[in-house]
Amino acid sequence: MAGSARTPSAAPAGKQSEAPQTRPRNIIFIILDDLRYDGMGFLQPQIRTPHIDKLAKSGTYFPNTVVTSSLCSPSRATILTGQTARNHGVVDNNNSSEKGLTYFPSYLQRVGYQTAFIGKWHMGQDSDAPRPGFDKWISFSGQGHYYPTEGIPADQVAKGRVNMLNVDGNKVPQRGYITDELTDYAMSWLQKERDPKKPFFLYLSHKAVHSDPLPPPRYAHQYDKVNFKLPASAANTPENYKGKPMWVYNQRNSWHGLDFFYNSDMKMEDYLRYYYATLSAVDDSVGRIMAYLKKQELEKDTLVVFTSDNGYQIGEHGLIDKRTAYEPSVKVPMIMVEPGTVPAGVVNPGRLRNLDYAPTFLDLAGAERPPQFEGQSAWPLITGKVAAKDWQAPDFVYEYYWEWSFPMTPGTFAIQRGDLKYIQYYGIYDMDELYDVAKDPNEMHNLIDDPAYVNAKVELRSALYKQLADRDGRHIIPYTGRMSIGSVRRRIGGTDAAPFPQQWFVEPNRADRADDIVPDGGFKQKLHAQGKAFLHMPILGQGRNRVDVLAAEMQKLQEKKSGAQAPEKPEQ
């Protein structure tokens, strides 16, 4: 039936590992920053990523991998804690506390794993200090820099100042291009520093391809002659914005809008040349790691995971960057390789969430699942023991909390059940959205007011609210302290603000004027289709809603009541 939303029964996740261990399994988790779900050569031929493409041929590609919060710090916290943002509390990129959080590598250490963190951390006031759960630590403050002297004034560079790394608690100068240098540290740990008798977990967290993406010199001109095409919805046309919330159009001329992105006059087509050239250094890094595993005959004993912390929009609906609940924002690349365990050359459509990574890693390592984990182990899906068609994926619930620093994107909550995705916004005067992403993958046809989907809308709206409750059953909107006005600038002469949706413009004094605050449902929808009001609300001073009319009616009632109570006159 059109508009129906099926409730899946999630596969139960036990406290103990469900993956029988016959040998220790190593794990290498490679995570990028802001890489699009389709930003790889095997999906776009003009992109040159031979080593990443080889990963896809050697392992399984999961095209339906999503993040529960599409923003660096909240997504990374979800990956590391196995909890949603409403529970781990890292809700934005500003100053969310890490107090009380336990990162899943700590549980791996308890079962004999050696662990290493190398790269971008980006939580806790931009601190680069070592965190619990890692035997080896290399990181940097905040977003880090691609080059040793990037972002440093020329006079300070002349005095020898460079960007610094934190290596096991010690400040060490950054000496080279960041992707190459992080890979050097990773290779050194793999080859020389770890105990070869113990299983290992390597968390390699690249800065690439975060803005502003600067490639290494060897790839600086790699895409000079390549013309990258933007999505069709990038065009500023009435058709593209039909059915879209106002905020989407209003964001077009902003820091995260296509017309004025990062408040520059660069074209997205030019930006993508930098973006994918920067990715090439990561591709080299993947090649080095895989060559090491092959040489050391560790391929069959090591699960390699390649993914990103969130997606990235390149003009969809006039937007860039992430934060939204639209497909290019919430979907991330995901490839897993382990010959003999993970099927090779397979595209697995089963849905994975970043919430599921931690329980999956603990499962395959034979570690006990801690009670605070909210996701489920996807190991049966990953290994093919459970087919994608039989995989009972839980609802995908998305949460993004409004940030003062980038106020153009509202607080966003969404739920996807099967192919239906419902999106609502917090604290703004705007419309909700509903999409069938199977029939409409580009999310161009908002079904929120389609009568055929009213039952699905009501069902998903209710399910979203219930599932957004925190561990104590509360519905709380967290936020961090404002430090300034935020990025609010708009380009002179650029796109103006959006008009309100056409269907919101009505004549005054309608009888159904209170119906929009009445819960949606089939009967209300049926009355509206007949041109009738659900709650008939007369206008003050008009019709029967007048003092003289109501007073006269009251008088008649009183007279009728008085007459009914009067004693009967005796017969003459």
Side-chain angles (χ1 to χ4, degrees):
M1 177 180 177
S4 64
R6 182 178 63 85
T7 304
S9 57
K15 291 186 177 181
Q16 297 291 333
S17 167
E18 298 174 359
Q21 292 297 295
T22 58
R23 55 184 168 77
R25 175 179 285 107
N26 308 309
I27 306 168
I28 297 179
F29 183 71
I30 304 170
I31 183 169
L32 279 69
D33 195 320
D34 284 5
L35 180 62
R36 278 179 64 87
Y37 72 96
D38 62 355
M40 297 164 286
F42 68 94
L43 297 175
Q44 296 190 61
Q46 71 270 38
I47 300 173
R48 302 165 203 166
T49 53
H51 298 295
I52 298 171
D53 298 349
K54 187 176 180 180
L55 282 185
K57 291 180 181 179
S58 304
T60 299
Y61 166 57
F62 297 87
N64 290 319
T65 302
V66 293
V67 294
T68 55
S69 296
S70 187
L71 185 61
C72 294
S73 296
S75 179
R76 291 165 186 269
T78 291
I79 291 169
L80 285 159
T81 66
Q83 300 177 74
T84 54
R86 57 189 173 275
N87 284 319
H88 62 57
V90 181
V91 297
D92 59 28
N93 284 351
N94 295 317
N95 186 24
S96 295
S97 173
E98 298 174 72
K99 184 178 180 180
L101 299 181
T102 301
Y103 306 119
F104 76 82
S106 294
Y107 302 110
L108 294 178
Q109 287 179 321
R110 295 177 190 177
V111 293
Y113 274 73
Q114 293 177 99
T115 62
F117 182 90
I118 299 175
K120 177 181 175 180
W121 183 258
H122 198 223
M123 288 188 289
Q125 294 185 310
D126 289 340
S127 169
D128 60 7
R131 265 56 169 196
F134 297 99
D135 301 307
K136 183 68 179 181
W137 179 269
I138 293 100
S139 191
F140 41 74
S141 178
Q143 296 285 359
H145 298 86
Y146 286 104
Y147 286 89
T149 57
E150 180 188 348
I152 297 177
D155 61 329
Q156 295 295 311
V157 172
K159 295 178 181 179
R161 180 183 167 189
V162 297
N163 294 310
M164 305 296 286
L165 303 178
N166 187 315
V167 179
D168 295 324
N170 301 309
K171 294 294 183 179
V172 175
Q174 179 181 340
R175 301 189 184 282
Y177 183 71
I178 192 63
T179 304
D180 298 341
E181 190 157 0
L182 293 178
T183 305
D184 289 343
Y185 276 112
M187 296 303 299
S188 177
W189 184 75
L190 288 171
Q191 294 171 332
K192 305 174 184 177
E193 300 175 52
R194 66 180 181 87
D195 183 348
K197 297 179 181 179
K198 295 182 179 181
F200 65 82
F201 174 82
L202 169 62
Y203 193 118
L204 179 54
S205 179
H206 286 294
K207 171 180 171 57
V209 287
H210 194 278
S211 64
D212 284 335
L214 288 172
R218 64 185 181 276
Y219 292 122
H221 301 286
Q222 185 181 24
Y223 293 106
D224 284 358
K225 297 181 180 180
V226 176
N227 294 316
F228 291 100
K229 293 183 179 180
L230 302 190
S233 64
N236 188 353
T237 65
E239 293 78 16
N240 277 346
Y241 286 100
K242 183 179 180 181
K244 286 292 174 194
M246 293 185 298
W247 75 263
V248 176
Y249 187 78
N250 290 342
Q251 187 164 311
R252 188 177 184 101
N253 182 11
S254 76
W255 182 271
H256 288 151
L258 186 62
D259 290 354
F260 200 32
F261 72 89
Y262 305 144
N263 287 180
S264 74
D265 60 359
M266 176 175 278
K267 300 297 182 183
M268 178 54 70
E269 295 88 339
D270 294 328
Y271 182 87
L272 290 176
R273 295 187 179 99
Y274 288 93
Y275 181 87
Y276 287 120
T278 302
L279 177 62
S280 288
V282 176
D283 189 70
D284 290 344
S285 173
V286 170
R288 291 176 64 187
I289 291 171
M290 297 308 293
Y292 167 78
L293 294 178
K294 183 176 182 179
K295 183 178 180 180
Q296 298 299 316
E297 298 183 345
L298 291 171
E299 287 178 298
K300 294 183 178 181
D301 296 319
T302 306
L303 174 70
V304 178
V305 180
F306 178 88
T307 190
S308 177
D309 61 349
N310 47 247
Y312 193 81
Q313 299 162 134
I314 58 169
E316 286 88 354
H317 316 297
L319 308 176
I320 70 110
D321 202 72
K322 58 262 186 180
R323 292 174 170 82
T324 76
Y326 294 136
E327 292 287 273
S329 177
V330 301
K331 292 178 72 172
V332 294
M334 173 56 77
I335 304 171
M336 296 191 191
V337 178
E338 185 181 348
T341 301
V342 178
V346 170
V347 177
N348 188 325
R351 185 163 65 221
L352 297 175
R353 304 165 298 173
N354 60 342
L355 190 64
D356 301 323
Y357 299 172
T360 299
F361 293 149
L362 264 61
D363 189 11
L364 64 90
E368 184 176 349
R369 174 193 171 105
Q372 73 272 18
F373 277 12
E374 299 175 60
Q376 65 177 7
S377 171
W379 194 234
L381 174 72
I382 293 165
T383 57
K385 291 182 179 179
V386 174
K389 64 181 179 62
D390 299 321
W391 178 242
Q392 299 296 306
D395 291 338
F396 165 44
V397 175
Y398 178 80
E399 55 187 318
Y400 165 74
Y401 298 99
W402 179 84
E403 302 166 278
W404 61 264
S405 45
F406 297 105
M408 65 285 295
T409 302
T412 303
F413 305 121
I415 184 170
Q416 183 175 337
R417 178 175 291 174
D419 294 327
L420 288 181
K421 181 197 290 186
Y422 166 72
I423 311 172
Q424 65 177 215
Y425 301 101
Y426 178 82
I428 60 170
Y429 189 23
D430 221 321
M431 65 194 304
D432 295 349
E433 296 175 270
L434 181 68
Y435 299 101
D436 185 328
V437 294
K439 299 177 181 177
D440 180 23
N442 296 319
E443 297 164 303
M444 299 300 295
H445 307 292
N446 189 0
L447 304 170
I448 200 68
D449 292 325
D450 189 325
Y453 288 84
V454 64
N455 291 333
K457 173 175 65 176
V458 172
E459 180 182 335
L460 291 175
R461 187 181 282 162
S462 175
L464 175 62
Y465 180 74
K466 290 178 181 178
Q467 295 188 50
L468 281 173
D470 66 15
R471 64 171 61 92
D472 297 317
R474 303 171 301 176
H475 289 85
I476 295 176
I477 304 296
Y479 62 95
T480 54
R482 179 187 284 272
M483 301 298 175
S484 70
I485 189 60
S487 180
V488 296
R489 296 179 181 179
R490 297 172 69 84
R491 185 170 185 165
I492 296 174
T495 305
D496 208 343
F500 283 92
Q502 187 61 41
Q503 63 268 34
W504 287 16
F505 289 89
V506 297
E507 68 279 8
N509 304 337
R510 287 172 59 118
D512 67 350
R513 61 198 178 99
D515 281 12
D516 288 340
I517 61 174
V518 175
D520 289 328
F523 183 63
K524 173 179 156 182
Q525 186 74 46
K526 182 178 179 180
L527 289 176
H528 285 184
Q530 297 173 356
K532 300 177 181 179
F534 183 86
L535 286 180
H536 193 279
M537 190 173 184
I539 305 301
L540 179 66
Q542 296 185 24
R544 291 185 57 256
N545 197 17
R546 291 163 39 199
V547 172
D548 57 340
V549 172
L550 294 173
E553 290 178 349
M554 181 177 66
Q555 181 66 28
K556 288 181 181 180
L557 287 173
Q558 290 175 344
E559 290 176 352
K560 185 176 181 180
K561 182 178 181 181
S562 177
Q565 294 177 347
E568 296 182 0
K569 293 181 179 181
E571 295 183 3
Q572 299 295 327

